[in-house]
Amino acid sequence: MRLSAAQVTVGASKLGRTALGANLRGGALALSIGEAQVYGGIARGSFGVTRSDAVADVKAQFQFIDVDLQSCASELFGISKLSGRGNLNVSLVASGTSPFGLAQSLDGTASLTGHDGAISGFNVEQLLKRLERQPLSGGGNFRSGSTPYDTLNIAVKFSDGIATTQDVRVEGPTSRLTLTGTASVPAREYDLKGVASLISASTANAPAGFDLPFVVQGPWTIR
C-alpha cells in the first residue's frame, strides 16, 4: 500500500505533506516514510516487524531533520524540558517475546544535535557561581530556571539493552556540561558521571573557570 497525503493526524501528532508505504508478506510487516513534514522539519524512516513462532524481530531507522526539539521530544519521548532546533537520528534493532525481552536485546545507535535552545529545570551557571563563591554552602534549590545552550550533542550506542555514551556535550555562552557512562533500558536506571564547567563570558574558548564533577545514578523518570 502506498499513500500520499497533504495532512495526516496520528494521535496528538500532525504531519504535513506525507508519503507512506506499507508492505505485509510472509509474516513480515514493513512501514516506510519517504518524507513527512513534522515538528517544523522533515522526517524519513522505516519500521519493520518480523514474527517467527513467538519471537518478534523489530528494526527501526528514523531521521528527523531541522525539527523543533520541544515538540519533537515532548510527543515522541514525553520530555518537555528541551527547546531549540536540531536533528535526531535513530537506528535500532531488537528481538524478543515480550516488551521486556525486546528492551534487553536492544542494539543500535542514536544521536541528537541541537542549537540555540535551552534545558529547563535547572540553571547551571547560577549553581556554579554560587558554589564558586561559597563552596561549603551546598547547591541549595537549583531545580528552577533554565540552562541556555549554543550547541547540544548527544551520541549513544546500544548493546543488549545498555546505552553507552559516546559523546554528550552541552555548550552554552557561560557554562559547559559533559557526561559519560551508561543507562539500562530494561532496568530504567542511570549510571553516569559528568562535569559542569563555568567558562568565561568573554570568549567561548577560554579555559573553564570552575569545574563541578557530579554523578547521576538511580532510576529514571521521564517528565
Side-chain angles (χ1 to χ4, degrees):
M1 181 183 69
R2 296 180 182 273
L3 171 66
S4 295
Q7 183 174 328
V8 176
T9 300
V10 182
S13 300
K14 293 184 178 181
L15 288 69
R17 188 180 69 250
T18 303
L20 301 172
N23 183 63
L24 178 61
R25 179 179 295 178
L29 173 64
L31 304 175
S32 63
I33 302 176
E35 183 173 293
Q37 295 177 334
V38 63
Y39 309 130
I42 299 295
R44 302 187 183 97
S46 62
F47 179 80
V49 180
T50 303
R51 180 180 176 183
S52 177
D53 295 327
V55 178
D57 297 317
V58 180
K59 182 177 182 179
Q61 291 182 316
F62 290 100
Q63 287 182 312
F64 293 87
I65 303 169
D66 192 28
V67 295
D68 178 80
L69 295 179
Q70 187 171 40
S71 56
C72 179
S74 177
E75 292 192 12
L76 292 181
F77 308 111
I79 299 172
S80 59
K81 297 183 180 296
L82 180 65
S83 65
R85 297 194 69 85
N87 303 327
L88 173 64
N89 292 276
V90 177
S91 179
L92 299 172
V93 296
S95 179
T97 59
S98 65
F100 185 77
L102 291 172
Q104 283 184 309
S105 67
L106 193 64
D107 291 333
T109 59
S111 65
L112 171 66
T113 59
H115 61 88
D116 302 318
I119 303 174
S120 63
F122 60 94
N123 187 319
V124 171
E125 179 188 6
Q126 184 181 69
L127 172 64
L128 293 179
K129 285 184 176 179
R130 181 186 304 154
L131 291 175
E132 186 180 30
R133 292 192 305 266
Q134 298 177 309
L136 301 180
S137 65
N141 182 17
F142 62 89
R143 296 182 181 180
S144 61
S146 63
T147 299
Y149 66 82
D150 298 321
T151 59
L152 168 69
N153 292 278
I154 299 175
V156 298
K157 182 177 182 180
F158 294 86
S159 179
D160 293 331
I162 303 298
T164 302
T165 62
Q166 294 184 308
D167 180 24
V168 178
R169 291 176 289 116
V170 182
E171 299 185 352
T174 58
S175 62
R176 181 187 300 123
L177 282 171
T178 60
L179 275 175
T180 60
T182 62
S184 172
V185 177
R188 298 174 67 86
E189 289 185 342
Y190 294 116
D191 186 9
L192 302 168
K193 296 180 180 179
V195 177
S197 302
L198 189 64
I199 61 178
S200 171
S202 59
T203 169
N205 295 321
F210 179 73
D211 290 339
L212 176 68
F214 63 92
V215 296
V216 181
Q217 294 179 322
W220 77 55
T221 301
I222 296 177
R223 295 181 181 177

